[in-house]
Amino acid sequence: MTTRDDQPLPLPVTDETNTRVRMHQHDHVSNKRPRISAGEEDDEIHNRQQDVQLPDQQQQPQQEQQQQQQHAFCLVEDVFSIVMSLLAPREMLCLSRCSKSLMNMVTHENVVRNTIMMGGHPRKSLRALMDLLHDKKVFFPSAMRLLRVACGQHCEITDCTKTVHTIRSHYGVFCCFNCAQKENVTTVIAMGSDTWSGNQKLRDAVNHPRTAQYPYQRKISMWRSPLKMASGERCGPLVTMDEIQDLLAKNKTVDDHILGLACEYDKDLLDSLIKMDQTATGRAAANEGKEKKEREKRVRLFRRQKADKLERVLVKIKMILDPRWKDFALNKFYYSNDGWSRFRQFPGKFVCSSIVKPLALFQLGLAIPFAHPRFEDAHHYNPKFESPLVRNIDSLDKLLHAPSRHGVQKRITRMADAIDKVFEKIFDKGFHDFSFLSSDKQSMPFEAYLQAAMREKFTVDEWLVSLDQHDVDKVDESGSLVALACKLSGERERLWKPPACFAAAVVPYINISADDKRDTDDEFAKAIWTLKTYEDDWGSFTYSCRKTFEYTVDAFKTLRPMIVEYLKHPDTINFLTEQNGRNDSWLRVKREEVNKVWLDRELLLHFLSSDVDFDTLREEQATGAENRWLGGHW
């Protein structure tokens, strides 16, 4: 029988050291134990194996923890890679500068795609660099160099901080204009110089397919010396002028130089970049077209709403205007930015142009006549008042630009008062309908017939809309008649002589029959009006106009029958119809020469001075027509 102390101790589950001690004790007393059965022995061996495997089981949580950390890092890397692919070039550059791991996440594909989609100067720079890469004329850039090209804004030359928006398309480097002219930056070779014409190897090196150069005005510009970034990466042209000179001195070629650089292009990467460039360009063009249409649609809707608000405000102003000018004072039109089209109403998508010949709307299935249709965008048109007097009112000009802001009731009342103040002065002096001129045809025929001629030529609305502030000031300063003369003649200063435009009163006063009336009568009256000289001091402007009117009427009655008789003379008709073996232009030249009797000052004075010899006059005109014909002035 064995005692309690002689029984084997159970194997405790402890750390590795205690386990080994217990196992040694167990082996030491195992020879004192009684023999056990085979089944019990197997159980004991199994327990020992479990005790031996315990250290590996304790290391397993540490390995799992390391794997979880690696998995979390990969997850973060994937997230930042996705974020990088969605950022604009400038934001991508800022994020990549935070750490080296983020800098390594910048890829060529992301830079090319996002830059092309962004547009502007980055796209222009990248497209220029892609052209150079396609021809293999510059060093293949790293992803960070490509990103810096897309975001570059300053000159890369040392000690220069000028702003440069895009790279030099011939060199692939950011360089301002002043630095590009420096001798230590670029070298210019004249094609007509002995250096160029007498050195075949130099020409072959410069004209090599992989040499970056800029030909202009029989000159060639090349980059002077190799360029390195702060990180040590080569950039810019593969071959520079200094390197060409070294090659020529060593009797080597450009191909030998390129092989020595060990800058072979990654063909697969370059092809993928070119393909991505083309794909991104197509997508960018489609997106820009879509955005342009949406922007035009928004602007068109905004302008339409603005035009509707303006109409509502103008209706409120018309309701409190004076009835005498409320119908035309606020007339407006919409003009295009190019200044060629004008419309009474705000044009929509389909508008009609007033600058082409009219057509019939039945060609398009419509029922009313119109001007030739043109499809234009309404956002190109802006409102403007027809009357310069109304446009001169500052509050109304602001109303056109911001009807919602300036269309409040208090300001509407002020605008109406300003319009009434402007037009009331014109109506009070009778300048609107020429009522300041006398209507008595017996005692004052000049004023009466001038008033009739002006009323026949202008309506009240058209006349008032044509007036500006200078005309109103002239009425106050010099009187209505002087203001009318300045307006019709286009003279901005005071007139001391009656203008020829007042000759419009002559033809209505003479009252020529409809059968005898000619198209040249008005111009003939103006020509006679200008014959009047002013040797005497006639006094007032009105008196001078009356005397000139009387003189013109008398001369008109005297000269017109004589000229008509000369034109109807058989010899004159025969002269006008003789072709003399020449073409129809000869007849036109003679007709123009004969018609000078209506307008030529010397001929008119000749008719007034004495009896006119028709044969002599006809010979002079025949000579003048012959000289014009032979001189080619026809």
Side-chain angles (χ1 to χ4, degrees), residues 247-457:
L247 292 174
L248 296 179
K250 298 177 182 179
N251 198 18
K252 294 184 178 181
T253 62
V254 174
D255 294 328
D256 298 334
H257 170 71
I258 294 176
L259 290 175
L261 291 176
C263 59
E264 289 298 329
Y265 276 49
D266 188 345
K267 187 176 182 304
D268 296 336
L269 179 58
L270 180 60
D271 293 341
S272 65
L273 291 182
I274 294 175
K275 184 177 180 181
M276 181 168 293
D277 178 26
Q278 297 174 353
T279 305
T281 301
R283 290 179 57 188
N287 292 342
E288 288 176 358
K290 184 178 179 180
E291 292 176 359
K292 182 179 179 181
K293 291 181 180 179
E294 293 178 353
R295 182 171 61 254
E296 290 179 353
K297 183 178 180 181
R298 291 194 303 269
V299 173
R300 192 181 304 115
L301 178 61
F302 170 75
R303 292 293 178 90
R304 169 64 67 183
Q305 295 174 350
K306 183 178 178 180
D308 295 340
K309 293 177 183 178
L310 179 61
E311 290 292 340
R312 291 194 292 268
V313 175
L314 293 181
V315 169
K316 294 179 181 179
I317 297 176
K318 286 181 180 180
M319 293 176 61
I320 57 179
L321 279 179
D322 191 294
R324 291 177 293 177
W325 49 77
K326 65 181 297 184
D327 294 333
F328 61 85
L330 294 177
N331 286 349
K332 67 182 183 309
F333 61 90
Y334 289 88
Y335 66 96
S336 61
N337 294 340
D338 55 11
W340 287 101
S341 304
R342 292 176 55 167
F343 305 94
R344 285 284 186 178
Q345 301 296 330
F346 184 78
K349 186 65 177 176
F350 176 81
V351 297
C352 297
S353 172
S354 59
I355 61 175
V356 293
K357 296 181 179 180
L359 297 176
L361 266 186
F362 67 87
Q363 297 177 356
L364 297 178
L366 304 177
I368 57 175
F370 79 114
H372 186 67
R374 294 170 59 199
F375 288 89
E376 300 202 9
D377 293 325
H379 72 277
H380 292 303
Y381 296 89
N382 302 292
K384 190 175 184 179
F385 288 111
E386 293 184 359
S387 174
L389 295 174
V390 178
R391 289 201 298 265
N392 199 35
I393 301 175
D394 185 60
S395 58
L396 285 169
D397 183 64
K398 295 179 180 179
L399 176 65
L400 295 179
H401 295 88
S404 298
R405 179 180 179 183
H406 298 276
V408 296
Q409 187 61 38
K410 186 176 181 179
R411 295 185 179 182
I412 288 176
T413 305
R414 293 178 180 176
M415 296 175 195
D417 294 341
I419 297 173
D420 291 341
K421 184 178 179 180
V422 170
F423 286 100
E424 188 174 4
K425 185 186 300 183
I426 301 175
F427 273 74
D428 291 344
K429 295 192 176 183
F431 196 68
H432 64 291
D433 59 351
F434 312 103
S435 58
F436 68 92
L437 297 171
S438 176
S439 301
D440 190 356
K441 296 182 179 182
Q442 298 297 328
S443 59
M444 296 182 179
F446 166 68
E447 288 86 345
Y449 285 98
L450 180 61
Q451 182 190 84
M454 293 295 101
R455 288 181 176 178
E456 182 180 356
K457 186 176 181 179

Side-chain angles (χ1 to χ4, degrees), residues 164-227:
V164 181
H165 296 293
T166 58
I167 63 171
R168 291 280 168 180
S169 58
H170 302 282
Y171 307 125
V173 178
F174 282 94
C175 180
C176 65
F177 178 80
N178 293 337
C179 291
Q181 308 302 317
K182 296 180 180 179
E183 295 182 356
N184 61 339
V185 177
T186 59
T187 300
V188 179
I189 305 174
M191 294 184 181
S193 63
D194 296 337
T195 304
W196 176 261
S197 59
N199 194 336
Q200 181 63 35
K201 293 183 179 180
L202 175 63
R203 295 198 300 271
D204 294 341
V206 172
N207 294 326
H208 192 275
R210 298 188 67 175
T211 300
Q213 52 158 307
Y214 173 41
Y216 69 100
Q217 298 178 356
R218 293 194 55 79
K219 297 179 182 179
I220 294 179
S221 176
M222 287 190 60
W223 199 256
R224 181 73 183 183
S225 57
L227 183 64

Side-chain angles (χ1 to χ4, degrees), residues 516-535:
D516 193 27
K517 195 170 183 180
R518 292 175 173 267
D519 297 336
T520 58
D521 287 339
D522 293 333
E523 297 298 326
F524 179 53
K526 290 182 180 180
I528 299 175
W529 187 283
T530 57
L531 295 178
K532 183 63 178 174
T533 58
Y534 306 99
E535 299 177 356

